[in-house]
């Protein structure tokens, strides 16, 4: 299934794509795509519904983040060898964990808002994992059984806030609209191998990132299992799994995003995003 949320910001409804790629309204059977509503049992109930029996959605509505009110927005850093190298860091020997504020979550076509004081605005195409079950101490062998599905995430970053200020990376990762997510939550049954997905990102039509999840240092199985050793993962949690090389920080000269830039990105089978960079209002 390809699940999504559509409609005005703050009043989105859940939807599903039918076989022809048209949006069908799920609001009569699911209140929203959040928490237990994206749990494995809830997805099984949705899977039993014929999308053709649901009301079609007219026109081309705004698309919101494919999950709502995520409990925790987890992230993995330096998870591709060449990205670690371009960042001037050694490839990690275990997953590097950090969080984005849940308030950074936004739709896949919303603008990237450059924060006040920002000088080093960057992009990162990433495979997103949506957790579908309460999970703790799960083995790598069983880890995919806790996954509801996958999505595209742009882990927007402000590198000066991230790397040149005291404290943790979270301050460079959490501004409003720093978490474009979607357009779809693609259920795990439609992604037989999450380690075989091409991913790409362009800025103003120029290729910046082009790689594959096959190049991850730590696989989806390893990431889910590892996180579950230190915390309880909950239905609706998001995990951004790291980005390949090609970020602005690693370029010579560094080509930071500025207002007016157009960013496009996508992952095989999971859809595409597009954002325009805008200045902080006021």
């Amino acid at each position: 299934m390809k699940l999504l949320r559509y409609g005005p910001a703050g009043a989105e409804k859940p939807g599903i794509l039918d076989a022809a790629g048209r949006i069908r309204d799920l609001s009569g059977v699911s209140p929203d795509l959040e928490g237990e509503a994206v749990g494995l049992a809830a997805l099984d109930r949705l899977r039993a519904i014929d999308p053709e029996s649901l009301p079609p959605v007219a026109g081309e509505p705004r698309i919101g983040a494919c999950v709502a009110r995520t409990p925790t927005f987890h992230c993995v850093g330096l998870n591709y060898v060449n990205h670690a190298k371009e960042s001037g860091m050694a490839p990690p020997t275990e997953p590097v964990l950090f969080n984005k504020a849940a308030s950074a979550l936004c739709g896949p076509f919303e603008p990237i808002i450059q924060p006040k004081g920002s000088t080093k605005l960057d992009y990162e195409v990433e495979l997103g994992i949506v957790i579908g079950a309460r999970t703790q101490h799960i083995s790598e062998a069983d880890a995919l059984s806790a996954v509801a599905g996958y999505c595209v995430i742009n882990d927007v970053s402000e590198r000066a806030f991230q790397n040149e200020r005291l404290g943790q990376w979270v301050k460079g990762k959490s501004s409003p609209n720093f978490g474009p997510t979607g357009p779809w939550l693609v259920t795990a049954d439609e992604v037989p191998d999450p380690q075989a997905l091409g991913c790409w990102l362009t800025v103003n039509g120029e290729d910046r990132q082009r790689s594959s999840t096959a190049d991850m240092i730590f696989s989806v199985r390893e990431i889910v299992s590892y996180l579950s050793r230190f915390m309880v993962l909950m239905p609706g949690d998001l995990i951004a799994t790291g980005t390949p090389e090609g970020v602005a920080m690693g370029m010579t000269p560094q080509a930071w995003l500025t207002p007016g830039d157009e960013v496009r990105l996508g992952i095989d089978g999971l859809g595409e995003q597009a954002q325009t960079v805008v200045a902080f209002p006021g």
Side-chain angles (χ1 to χ4, degrees):
M1 295 183 293
K2 291 182 174 67
L3 305 174
L4 68 153
R5 300 172 63 252
Y6 69 94
E12 295 93 343
K13 293 181 179 181
I16 186 171
L17 293 189
D18 66 19
R22 295 169 299 204
I23 301 174
R24 299 280 179 157
D25 181 15
L26 271 176
S27 62
V29 293
S30 179
D32 205 347
L33 299 177
E34 64 172 310
E36 292 295 343
V38 293
L40 302 178
L43 295 181
D44 283 342
R45 290 192 292 271
L46 294 181
R47 203 171 280 113
I49 298 171
D50 179 3
E52 302 292 334
S53 69
L54 299 169
V57 176
E60 297 183 0
R62 171 190 170 272
I63 304 299
C66 61
V67 293
R69 293 169 285 278
T70 186
T72 307
F73 202 151
H74 305 277
C75 300
V76 179
L78 306 175
N79 197 28
Y80 290 72
V81 171
N82 287 336
H83 175 56
K85 289 179 179 177
E86 73 179 358
S87 301
M89 302 180 191
T93 57
E94 58 184 298
V96 174
L97 305 181
F98 63 95
N99 286 3
K100 293 176 86 77
S103 57
L105 186 70
C106 70
F109 307 108
E110 304 301 308
I112 294 173
I113 303 171
Q114 185 169 30
K116 278 187 176 181
S118 165
T119 58
K120 297 182 178 180
L121 188 62
D122 211 343
Y123 49 81
E124 297 188 358
V125 60
E126 306 203 9
L127 173 65
I129 304 168
V130 181
I131 295 296
R134 189 180 189 279
T135 303
Q136 188 176 24
H137 297 298
I138 196 168
S139 68
E140 289 181 18
D142 294 333
L144 295 188
S145 69
V147 175
Y150 302 93
C151 59
V152 182
I153 294 175
N154 188 355
D155 178 16
V156 182
S157 307
E158 211 303 326
R159 302 299 190 184
F161 296 176
Q162 176 187 352
N163 297 322
E164 299 171 18
R165 306 289 293 271
L166 296 178
Q168 300 181 352
W169 289 357
V170 62
K171 66 169 66 71
K173 298 284 189 172
S174 295
S175 292
N177 288 30
F178 268 29
T181 299
W184 315 314
L185 162 56
V186 180
T187 51
D189 56 297
E190 293 197 8
V191 185
D193 185 358
Q195 305 309 141
L197 303 175
C199 53
W200 57 272
L201 182 145
T202 67
V203 178
N204 300 326
E206 174 193 0
D207 270 9
R208 293 285 184 89
Q209 295 185 280
R210 195 163 294 273
S211 187
S212 168
T213 57
D215 293 335
M216 283 184 182
I217 298 171
F218 303 104
S219 68
V220 169
R221 288 181 182 273
E222 292 172 299
I223 289 167
V224 172
S225 175
Y226 185 84
L227 272 164
S228 79
R229 299 179 204 171
F230 304 104
M231 63 202 76
V232 177
L233 301 176
M234 299 298 293
D237 274 357
L238 275 172
I239 306 172
T241 59
T243 198
E245 71 275 11
V247 299
M249 180 175 62
M251 298 176 69
T252 304
Q254 293 169 320
W256 306 114
L257 295 175
T258 58
D261 284 345
E262 301 286 341
V263 180
R264 299 188 66 88
L265 60 148
I267 297 178
D268 291 350
L270 304 185
E272 299 183 7
Q273 300 185 359
Q275 296 109 29
T276 301
V277 181
V278 301
F280 188 88

